[in-house]
Amino acid sequence: MKTLICDCNKTMPLDAAALAKALPPEAAQGLSTLHSTLCRREAGAFQRAALQGDDLLVACTQESRLFLELNAETEGAPAAQERPIRFVNIRETGGWSRDAKQATPKIAALLAAAQLPEPDPVGTVSYRSAGRVLVIGDADSAQRCAEMLADKLDVSVLLTQPGGSLPQQRRWPVHAGRVTALSGWLGQFDVEWESANPIDLDLCTRCNACIAACPEGAIDFGYQVDLARCKDHRECVRVCEAAGAIDFGRPALTLQERFDLVLDLGTTPLVTLHQPPQGYFRPAADERARFDAILQLRELTGEFEKPKFFHYKPKICAHSRNEQIGCHACIDVCSAGAIRSEATEGGGIRVEPHLCVGCGACTTVCPSGALAYATPSADQLGRRIRTLLQTYRRAGGVQAALLVHSQGAGTRAIDALGRAARASGAQGVPARVLPLDVVHTASVGLELWLAALAYGAADVWVLLTDEEAPAYRDALAQQAALANALMEGWGYAAGRVRLLSGDAATLDAGLQAAAPNAVLPDPASFAVQADKRATLELAIDHLGAHAPARAETIALPAASPLGSIVVDTAKCTMCLACVGACPESALLDNPERPQLRFIEKNCVQCGLCATTCPEQAITLQPRLWLADEGKARKQPRVLNEVEPFRCIRCGKPFGTLKAIEAMMGKLAGHAMFQGAAAERLKMCSDCRVIDIHTNADEVKITDLR
């Protein structure tokens, strides 16, 4: 891949030779030339490179559109669809900062990461919209918006309150009522409303006789009766006799229709989710916000696609077993309402891909890895993190801080900080800070943070903006607390993982104030795995092996996906219901003897064993157990063992003494389990059958006599 770099009119102190030396030869092509006005006077250099047909990397994101147009206009150059043309920002992220002269290792790392292959393609989710839009609100607001949409969309209006004015000309359907239900997504919104007003807008001819006749002025040009002002004179009914549009005795009607789009102008939002479904617009009351919403709505006809952002493996999902609920972290954190429980429908969860907005928070909080982010996958993102840190270190950089930020608001915040450093005295992004843009910050959590620290990052920081729902912030704070508890338990410095937020000035101060931590003397080289738990174990093993302290146990916060369980052996009857409930094979039986065994490494702390246990004998214990250098947690250990109960007829062991005693106690007063029937409870299954048939024959002989 050929790389073109530009110092943007000499505003960045770039060292092309040092950059070329820091990168492998195959990644350093083109770095021998440093441009200053690549997007203007030196645009020919881009066109010449485009003609060669090589994959191109341009170290400028500001003019990406221009370069793509230049490529299309260059006769003989392959189309952008035929060979990659990529762009990376080295200006706001490093070249425009007070220590830009020390940023060569960082810029080399950014260039190396930008040359990695694109994420693998994933499946898509399709939407189809015919442009049927429902505008909900008062007559005046709804009418104004409908006027601006009607030339492009099929408009309907739903009036949710009296007042305002409708035009005399009936240009689109107008309904009135109170919305009782709204569900769906772009192209498939089901709206239900209850109509209780005496005026039927379908029958109303807008002759205005009722307005003239009403002595209280309870009817206006919105053609709805303000029941709070109406004094029951019914003059309106009399003058509307021919049309029959007014009936105070009409029962409330419940109506339902399907729409492709919804514009909600009501005083109270109909959808209160932080991430409302695509196709639903709830602009602020100011005209600018409403105009922006209208511009977007006008373009939403046709077919649309988006990536399916997640993979789901129901076999390892720890949400439910046998209608018992365990982990529900994904349901709690989803700000789009896209995840629901299917505990009574076979178990597990259901993620509605049409509602999923791709934040990835569910994959971050999922303790088992049953939910995984798809684009990019964990292993692809892990490769990018490793490339950043390895290249930075190889180029001479020390004590790198990985700054995870979103591609939307996070990128804008960093761009604003770079501009401030160039123009108004801000420090800018420090040379040791490596920005990592992701679709959403909530999609990256504990296992990738720990992997970054194992790869040699001194710190991991996450930039939060107004994009993060409160539930996302809480989830990331819990993950950060867990990561820091582990690092501190191993004896590393406190606060290795931090959440940052605020405006450009606050961010600038926060980035500058943080003192760098020490890095691992022997950075890891393992590859991040597609399986979340496998990556977590690799990071734990490496960080633990190089830990300054050798604690046997690290206590962890309650939200931990790592830990043990404590079994109250006085209560446990060894029914082994917990073994059947465990989705991760952390709890095991022993076919040879009555034992309850446990592999701590497999436990995700979902709590299904505790909720399933009929004796309430199990308690969760979040921790990281490091006995025998961490090997003990990977081996089965016995949590409870009891003597077997032996059949009173043949002596064969079956069940446990406690289980049989508990069963006998619970059934002692039952009419069907008295005498011989009670004794059969103490027999193995074979002897129980033999005893039933033997007694049945004796009964028959007695009856014949």
Side-chain angles (χ1 to χ4, degrees):
M1 179 174 286
K2 188 168 186 177
T3 302
L4 302 176
I5 59 172
C6 176
D7 63 15
C8 197
N9 196 30
K10 301 186 183 300
T11 59
M12 292 187 286
L14 299 182
D15 187 337
L19 287 172
K21 186 177 179 181
L23 293 168
E26 64 274 11
Q29 298 179 54
L31 287 176
S32 58
T33 302
L34 176 62
H35 302 280
S36 288
T37 55
L38 186 63
C39 62
R40 296 295 184 268
R41 292 182 179 179
E42 297 174 272
F46 171 83
Q47 292 180 296
R48 288 190 293 274
L51 281 169
Q52 295 175 9
D54 296 329
D55 295 350
L56 290 179
L57 173 63
V58 181
C60 173
T61 53
Q62 174 181 293
E63 301 294 345
S64 57
R65 178 180 176 180
L66 171 64
F67 288 119
L68 291 174
E69 290 175 350
L70 278 174
N71 183 78
E73 293 170 1
T74 302
E75 186 175 352
Q81 295 83 359
E82 298 174 7
R83 57 93 188 274
I85 299 180
R86 300 183 192 167
F87 304 92
V88 61
N89 182 2
I90 64 171
R91 189 178 69 179
E92 285 83 1
T93 57
W96 281 359
S97 68
R98 294 301 176 190
D99 56 358
K101 290 183 179 180
Q102 289 78 48
T104 296
K106 177 188 20 198
I107 293 173
L110 294 174
L111 294 175
Q115 295 188 26
L116 292 173
E118 293 289 336
D120 295 335
V122 296
T124 58
V125 180
S126 298
Y127 300 86
R128 178 176 294 176
S129 168
R132 290 197 66 207
V133 60
L134 179 65
V135 182
I136 303 172
D138 65 89
D140 289 338
S141 298
Q143 178 67 25
R144 282 198 303 273
C145 292
E147 291 281 359
M148 291 186 280
L149 294 169
D151 64 319
K152 291 275 290 201
L153 304 176
D154 181 3
V155 176
S156 295
V157 170
L158 175 58
L159 305 181
T160 54
Q161 62 192 69
S165 176
L166 291 174
Q168 288 297 126
Q169 183 181 10
R170 192 188 297 270
R171 295 181 55 196
W172 41 73
V174 179
H175 311 280
R178 179 180 62 88
V179 177
T180 54
L182 189 156
S183 62
W185 48 81
L186 173 64
Q188 194 172 311
F189 284 105
D190 290 317
V191 185
E192 181 181 285
W193 67 91
E194 182 181 81
S195 178
N197 203 276
I199 299 181
D200 186 331
L201 289 176
D202 285 336
L203 297 176
C204 176
T205 64
R206 302 187 187 179
C207 69
N208 302 319
C210 59
I211 298 175
C214 180
E216 293 87 16
I219 306 175
D220 57 20
F221 290 113
Y223 304 109
Q224 293 287 278
V225 179
D226 185 345
L227 296 174
R229 299 171 64 184
C230 178
K231 302 301 183 184
D232 300 333
H233 292 92
R234 302 301 186 256
E235 287 298 310
C236 56
V237 177
R238 182 182 61 79
V239 298
C240 192
E241 183 177 2
I246 306 178
D247 183 358
F248 282 84
R250 181 189 300 115
L253 298 176
T254 298
L255 304 170
Q256 181 175 335
E257 282 195 44
R258 173 163 288 185
F259 298 91
D260 300 309
L261 305 159
V262 175
L263 176 59
D264 181 5
L265 305 174
T267 54
T268 302
L270 297 171
V271 177
T272 57
L273 296 168
H274 186 271
Q275 298 281 353
Q278 289 171 296
Y280 170 87
F281 290 82
R282 165 70 184 176
D286 62 277
E287 291 299 320
R288 172 65 181 272
R290 291 186 174 182
F291 187 69
D292 288 344
I294 287 167
L295 289 177
Q296 295 179 63
L297 281 162
R298 288 172 58 87
E299 302 304 318
L300 290 178
T301 56
E303 294 190 13
F304 306 90
E305 287 188 343
K306 70 176 182 182
K308 185 179 178 183
F309 291 103
F310 63 91
H311 295 305
Y312 176 52
K313 301 176 185 176
K315 287 187 177 180
I316 60 172
C317 178
H319 172 61
S320 62
R321 286 290 189 279
N322 303 322
E323 300 188 10
Q324 295 291 326
I325 300 295
C327 171
H328 44 81
C330 60
I331 297 174
D332 293 342
V333 81
C334 182
S335 69
I339 307 177
R340 64 178 174 87
S341 171
E342 290 196 331
T344 59
E345 303 171 19
I349 59 166
R350 169 163 174 75
V351 184
E352 176 48 67
H354 292 91
L355 292 175
C356 173
V357 295
C359 67
C362 58
T363 67
T364 293
V365 300
C366 178
S368 66
L371 277 169
Y373 204 71
T375 176
S377 61
D379 51 326
Q380 291 166 334
L381 183 57
R383 183 181 177 188
R384 191 170 161 214
I385 294 172
R386 185 175 61 171
T387 299
L388 277 170
L389 291 165
Q390 286 181 344
T391 305
Y392 176 81
R393 186 172 63 255
R394 188 168 53 245
V398 294
Q399 296 176 306
L402 187 70
L403 178 61
V404 182
H405 67 88
S406 71
Q407 293 172 352
T411 294
R412 291 192 293 273
I414 288 176
D415 286 352
L417 180 55
R419 182 179 294 183
R422 176 65 191 158
S424 59
Q427 296 296 312
V429 182
R432 77 179 189 95
V433 176
L434 305 180
L436 175 70
D437 64 301
V438 294
V439 175
H440 201 291
T441 54
S443 66
V444 183
L446 178 67
E447 72 283 354
L448 287 171
W449 296 345
L450 292 182
L453 293 169
Y455 289 150
D459 305 277
V460 174
W461 299 333
V462 182
L463 176 57
L464 302 181
T465 65
D466 56 2
E467 288 181 330
E468 284 78 23
Y472 299 169
R473 289 174 171 262
D474 292 343
L476 290 171
Q478 289 178 348
Q479 295 268 305
L482 179 57
N484 287 325
L486 286 167
M487 296 300 289
E488 292 168 28
W490 279 313
Y492 295 103
R496 300 293 287 261
V497 177
R498 295 173 52 207
L499 307 181
L500 306 177
S501 61
D503 58 16
T506 304
L507 176 61
D508 193 33
L511 292 175
Q512 299 295 331
N517 288 301
V519 300
L520 266 66
D522 184 18
S525 59
F526 64 79
V528 166
Q529 305 296 297
D531 179 78
K532 176 177 188 171
R533 298 289 294 193
T535 299
L536 186 58
E537 289 299 319
L538 288 169
I540 286 173
D541 287 347
H542 190 84
L543 291 167
H546 296 82
R550 297 291 176 181
E552 183 168 296
T553 302
I554 299 175
L556 298 176
S560 168
L562 304 166
S564 180
I565 63 171
V566 178
V567 176
D568 187 338
T569 56
K571 293 181 179 179
C572 177
T573 63
M574 292 293 290
C575 68
L576 301 181
C578 55
V579 174
C582 181
E584 314 303 332
S585 299
L587 283 164
L588 309 168
D589 62 358
N590 187 341
E592 305 298 326
R593 55 186 303 127
Q595 284 183 338
L596 175 62
R597 299 184 299 163
F598 180 66
I599 301 177
E600 187 159 330
K601 178 183 77 71
N602 294 351
C603 181
V604 299
Q605 296 284 285
C606 67
L608 271 170
C609 55
T611 57
T612 300
C613 178
E615 314 301 337
Q616 298 183 340
I618 298 177
T619 305
L620 300 181
Q621 184 184 32
R623 70 174 190 179
L624 180 64
W625 191 37
L626 299 172
D628 192 19
E629 297 183 344
K631 297 176 183 177
R633 59 188 292 270
K634 301 178 182 180
Q635 303 299 321
R637 59 186 172 91
V638 177
L639 296 182
N640 195 14
E641 181 177 8
V642 298
E643 288 298 317
F645 184 87
R646 297 185 179 276
C647 175
I648 61 173
R649 196 171 188 276
C650 70
K652 182 174 70 175
F654 80 99
T656 67
L657 180 61
K658 280 189 176 182
I660 300 301
E661 288 177 347
M663 179 176 60
M664 295 293 292
K666 290 178 180 178
L667 298 176
H670 200 289
M672 292 186 63
F673 296 97
Q674 302 298 319
E679 290 301 300
R680 290 191 195 106
L681 295 176
K682 303 176 185 177
M683 300 178 188
C684 66
S685 57
D686 294 336
C687 290
R688 198 174 302 136
V689 173
I690 294 170
D691 188 69
I692 289 172
H693 282 282
T694 300
N695 288 340
D697 291 341
E698 291 176 358
V699 170
K700 291 178 182 177
I701 294 171
T702 302
D703 291 342
L704 288 173
R705 290 176 181 173

